[in-house]
Amino acid sequence: MGAQRGASEASGAGESQPPALEVRDLVRHFAGRGGTVRAVDGVSLTVGRGEVVGLVGESGSGKSTVGQCVVRLDDPTAGTVRIGGVDVTRLSRRALRPLRKDFHLVYQDPSASLDPRMTVGRIVAEPLVLHRMASGDALRDRVAGLLRQVGLRPELTDRRPHELSGGQRQRVSIARALAVDPLLLVADEPTSALDVSVQASVLNLLADLQRDRGFGCLFITHDLAAVEFLADRIAVMYLGEIVEQAPAAELFAAPKHPYTQALLSAVPVPDPPAQRARERIVLHGDLPSAVFPKGGPVEHAVDYCRFHTRCPLAVDRCRTEAPRHRTLPGGDHQVACHLVGDDGAAPDAAHPERQDRHTTHTTHTT
Ligand code: SF4
């Protein structure tokens, strides 16, 4: 379903206001045993005001690290993060404090993110108090209103997190995050710690709130069905970089990158004959380690496609040259794969470059 806005409308094309989030060439490297852990390696993406961008990929792809850098729970090695046009990348904690009302993170595990000593009312009220946005009766009314908006009875105000169900706790997290009307919500796997039976209701809640309040949302998940439901655009991450980005409907209808094709082939479709006719692309092996023995300084480029060890279509060139990020005709679909045609044709087994391929696989992992 998604948030049902065109990307250009959602991203505020033609408006003078800067987008909710602009990430440019974001890098987060760690020193690791045997080389550099390139957890995030040159990620660029934009979340328009009122737009939902899904950031998807396997565990270890670096998507949560992007989220942590965006909300400044982690410090990027290089690159910039702008929220509402303000560069927050290198602001001190003190300088960042008044800006924190503009962006909030909803964590995967609400049990870990809510202070067990505080009541629900205090948890939701705290950001309003910190940013001096309400007090007294007005504060109580705001908290009660927020609890109602997330589907919780105001009588729960005096309960503590351990007295609530997992779904109720995540609703409290969402109420707290939205209390100060942020420009940007970063939701990092917000439903994956919940029972399957309550995941859909929390997703519906997020979709309703996002539509009503119009905040931008970076929705980080490995759940492709959830991202199809919620996102206007989707960015696919693999081993620290975005390999494909496109409007959600376009990505699901015509994925170009072999990794995206493999991910989407595992998503069931609600039409039984179409489901039977689908061919599942099975990737062999897990996501490789993000330790690059040849990696080092930020500027030291990786000179191969990171996906070549698992790509069913890899050719010799994929092992010696990193694919460029190209924008396909139409201007709203980016992909990094040697075999995607300049006209946007997806790669297939009959691609001319595959005529002379050999089967030797090298590896860049440790
Ligand atoms: Fe596969 Fe090569 Fe394309 Fe990488 S560049 S996704 S290895 S075909």
Side-chain angles (χ1 to χ4, degrees):
M1 185 170 82
Q4 300 177 342
R5 266 180 307 277
S8 57
E9 180 194 347
S11 59
E15 296 173 11
S16 56
Q17 287 184 314
L21 172 67
E22 260 184 302
V23 175
R24 287 290 163 264
D25 304 318
L26 188 75
V27 173
R28 181 64 175 110
H29 287 180
F30 304 93
R33 279 195 308 164
T36 304
V37 182
R38 302 176 84 122
V40 177
D41 211 14
V43 161
S44 295
L45 58 83
T46 301
V47 179
R49 292 178 184 240
E51 184 182 30
V52 181
V53 173
L55 186 59
V56 304
E58 294 163 277
S59 293
S61 61
K63 57 190 190 305
S64 288
T65 308
V66 171
Q68 301 269 314
C69 289
V70 164
V71 297
R72 287 291 312 277
L73 289 178
D74 195 359
D75 291 325
T77 306
T80 55
V81 175
R82 286 193 177 81
I83 294 177
V86 178
D87 186 345
V88 300
T89 328
R90 272 161 268 284
L91 290 182
S92 67
R93 302 286 160 201
R94 189 190 178 96
L96 205 55
R97 212 171 291 147
L99 300 175
R100 284 212 174 268
K101 70 177 183 353
D102 289 334
F103 55 97
H104 278 272
L105 176 69
V106 172
Y107 293 85
Q108 176 177 355
D109 182 0
S111 313
S113 63
L114 301 178
D115 188 333
R117 296 162 303 179
M118 289 169 73
T119 62
V120 167
R122 274 190 63 204
I123 288 169
V124 176
E126 191 176 50
L128 290 162
V129 173
L130 281 175
H131 294 287
R132 298 199 173 99
M133 293 174 73
S135 62
D137 288 346
L139 179 63
R140 270 188 293 282
D141 289 348
R142 284 279 287 271
V143 170
L146 282 159
L147 291 180
R148 267 195 298 273
Q149 275 188 37
V150 298
L152 294 174
R153 286 173 287 116
E155 301 89 87
L156 296 178
T157 306
D158 295 326
R159 303 266 180 91
R160 288 187 163 72
H162 72 271
E163 299 175 89
L164 307 178
S165 68
Q168 287 175 324
R169 282 194 287 266
Q170 196 57 298
R171 286 168 187 267
V172 172
S173 297
I174 293 169
R176 175 183 165 91
L178 298 182
V180 291
D181 258 328
L183 203 54
L184 175 74
L185 188 74
V186 177
D188 187 0
E189 304 272 14
T191 57
S192 61
L194 304 178
D195 289 344
V196 174
S197 57
V198 294
Q199 287 181 357
S201 66
V202 171
L203 277 179
N204 277 319
L205 171 69
L206 269 177
D208 289 347
L209 290 170
Q210 194 277 330
R211 190 182 52 239
D212 294 347
R213 290 170 157 247
F215 52 85
C217 180
L218 181 63
F219 180 54
I220 299 169
T221 185
H222 66 277
D223 182 343
L224 292 161
V227 86
E228 184 181 21
F229 171 72
L230 207 60
D232 298 298
R233 277 192 305 121
I234 297 174
V236 181
M237 271 193 89
Y238 187 82
L239 213 60
E241 68 169 4
I242 290 176
V243 295
E244 185 163 10
Q245 254 192 97
E250 188 175 326
L251 193 93
F252 270 83
K256 308 294 183 189
H257 195 282
Y259 178 59
T260 314
Q261 291 173 343
L263 285 183
L264 297 189
S265 76
V267 180
V269 291
D271 174 8
Q275 176 64 28
R276 278 194 293 277
R278 271 158 68 100
E279 190 184 334
R280 172 123 191 233
I281 303 168
V282 178
L283 293 178
H284 296 287
D286 294 327
L287 188 77
S289 158
V291 175
F292 287 71
K294 288 199 288 179
V298 170
E299 62 276 10
H300 190 303
V302 174
D303 54 4
Y304 39 74
C305 174
R306 290 157 205 245
F307 188 50
H308 81 264
T309 56
R310 296 167 82 198
C311 181
L313 300 176
V315 296
D316 290 349
R317 184 181 172 197
C318 307
R319 303 178 185 98
T320 56
E321 183 185 334
R324 280 186 304 114
H325 289 251
R326 287 179 294 144
T327 299
L328 301 180
D332 213 9
H333 194 148
Q334 288 95 36
V335 65
C337 171
H338 291 310
L339 302 195
V340 173
D342 287 337
D343 59 354
D348 61 35
H351 192 280
E353 283 201 51
R354 288 183 49 78
Q355 302 305 315
D356 60 350
R357 86 186 202 282
H358 62 73
T359 54
T360 306
H361 274 214
T362 57
T363 181
H364 58 265
T365 61
T366 57

